[in-house]
Amino acid sequence: DLHLLGQRIILSRHSAGLLMQLRLRTKVSRIALCIIFCFIAISYGVLITAQYVAYCLAEKDDLVSLRLAVRLEPGNAEYRSRLGEYYSSNQQWIPAVDSFAAAEKLNPHQALYWLSLASADVVLGRSGAQQALQQGILADPKDPHVAWVASGIYFAAGDVDSALKNLRMVLENSAELSSEAIQLCWRVRPDADALLRETIPADSAIYSKFLDFLISNKQTEAAAKVWTQIVHLGEPVPIANVFD
């Protein structure tokens, strides 16, 4: 009995030691878990704060703020594009190219970044303008606003045929931009026959706008050719066009 009692005492002491070790390990684990949680929470808070500060800075239109926003969020393509816009508006074309190039690398699916890069390349006379333009159009080929911007860049680069091709796309897909597109078409190629054949879509509403533009600019002969095309469509026309 004394022997059994001794074994029980030894076992109870051993169990007590194991229990203390287990409690100690559990406490240490809890402390470690709390430390890890606090670290994650602080890191997340710092990240959110940095993003908010960068957003506020990017809304400002000054170089220091925009550059700081880019430093806080170097992976944000929009902030780099805004920095490029600042440089280009101040005719600092080389840093503008660098900023737009960084933006399109971060987000190559945004057409505006490619078109901004192409515009800056055109000003600098760089050969990469053509490729950037094509990439911009491919990024959003059905957006008339993209085609509108691209047509202006092509026109500035002296590529009239490509400019008119994009203007046709604008006329086919945007009533909002159609009047401005017609004006640019005439400025690029003041030839009614060529425009009716290659650029102006066979649409009564667009023909009417083209007719109004030509009449307001006293282009009588060209207006008569547009009226002939309107008649050939065989569709109803506004009575004002008939009197004009």
Side-chain angles (χ1 to χ4, degrees), residues 101-190:
E104 59 85 3
K105 283 182 173 61
L106 290 168
N107 185 5
H109 304 294
Q110 174 57 263
L112 178 61
Y113 302 157
W114 287 106
L115 296 178
S116 298
L117 176 60
S119 180
D121 279 337
V122 167
V123 174
L124 291 173
R126 293 186 173 182
S127 58
Q130 185 73 16
Q131 182 181 358
L133 259 173
Q134 292 173 356
Q135 290 294 332
I137 294 170
L138 287 173
D140 205 345
K142 296 183 179 181
D143 189 338
H145 292 85
V146 170
W148 171 251
V149 175
S151 66
I153 298 173
Y154 274 122
F155 180 49
D159 189 346
V160 174
D161 290 335
S162 295
L164 290 172
K165 179 181 177 181
N166 281 274
L167 286 172
R168 182 181 180 90
M169 194 271 187
V170 173
L171 290 169
E172 290 174 340
N173 295 280
S174 176
E176 176 189 357
L177 294 171
S178 58
S179 296
E180 293 178 82
I182 287 171
Q183 294 177 35
L184 186 55
C185 283
W186 187 257
R187 188 168 58 165
V188 172
R189 183 164 290 166

Side-chain angles (χ1 to χ4, degrees), residues 26-244:
T26 303
K27 189 175 182 180
V28 171
S29 298
R30 287 178 180 174
I31 292 173
L33 187 61
C34 287
I35 292 172
I36 293 171
F37 178 78
C38 289
F39 176 75
I40 294 173
I42 291 171
S43 299
Y44 182 74
V46 170
L47 178 62
I48 294 299
T49 302
Q51 290 178 341
Y52 177 73
V53 172
Y55 170 80
C56 293
L57 289 169
E59 293 297 309
K60 299 179 180 180
D61 190 24
D62 65 90
L63 181 59
V64 175
S65 297
L66 290 170
R67 291 179 69 177
L68 186 53
V70 169
R71 290 177 102 187
L72 288 171
E73 277 203 82
N76 190 307
E78 179 62 23
Y79 296 165
R80 291 186 179 272
S81 177
R82 291 184 187 183
L83 180 59
E85 290 171 6
Y86 175 87
Y87 282 129
S88 61
S89 65
N90 288 277
Q91 299 185 350
Q92 299 178 45
W93 298 109
I94 293 178
V97 166
D98 293 339
S99 296
F100 290 136
E104 59 85 3
K105 283 182 173 61
L106 290 168
N107 185 5
H109 304 294
Q110 174 57 263
L112 178 61
Y113 302 157
W114 287 106
L115 296 178
S116 298
L117 176 60
S119 180
D121 279 337
V122 167
V123 174
L124 291 173
R126 293 186 173 182
S127 58
Q130 185 73 16
Q131 182 181 358
L133 259 173
Q134 292 173 356
Q135 290 294 332
I137 294 170
L138 287 173
D140 205 345
K142 296 183 179 181
D143 189 338
H145 292 85
V146 170
W148 171 251
V149 175
S151 66
I153 298 173
Y154 274 122
F155 180 49
D159 189 346
V160 174
D161 290 335
S162 295
L164 290 172
K165 179 181 177 181
N166 281 274
L167 286 172
R168 182 181 180 90
M169 194 271 187
V170 173
L171 290 169
E172 290 174 340
N173 295 280
S174 176
E176 176 189 357
L177 294 171
S178 58
S179 296
E180 293 178 82
I182 287 171
Q183 294 177 35
L184 186 55
C185 283
W186 187 257
R187 188 168 58 165
V188 172
R189 183 164 290 166
D191 183 334
D193 291 318
L195 291 177
L196 289 168
R197 184 174 59 251
E198 301 169 2
T199 307
I200 306 295
D203 180 274
S204 59
I206 296 174
Y207 278 164
S208 294
K209 288 184 179 181
F210 192 21
L211 182 66
D212 290 340
F213 169 77
L214 293 171
I215 291 173
S216 64
N217 285 274
K218 297 181 172 48
Q219 299 291 332
T220 309
E221 184 178 350
K225 293 176 180 178
V226 176
W227 174 251
T228 300
Q229 294 301 315
I230 292 176
V231 172
H232 285 167
L233 285 178
E235 298 177 3
V237 296
I239 195 66
N241 287 347
V242 180
F243 286 125
D244 289 339

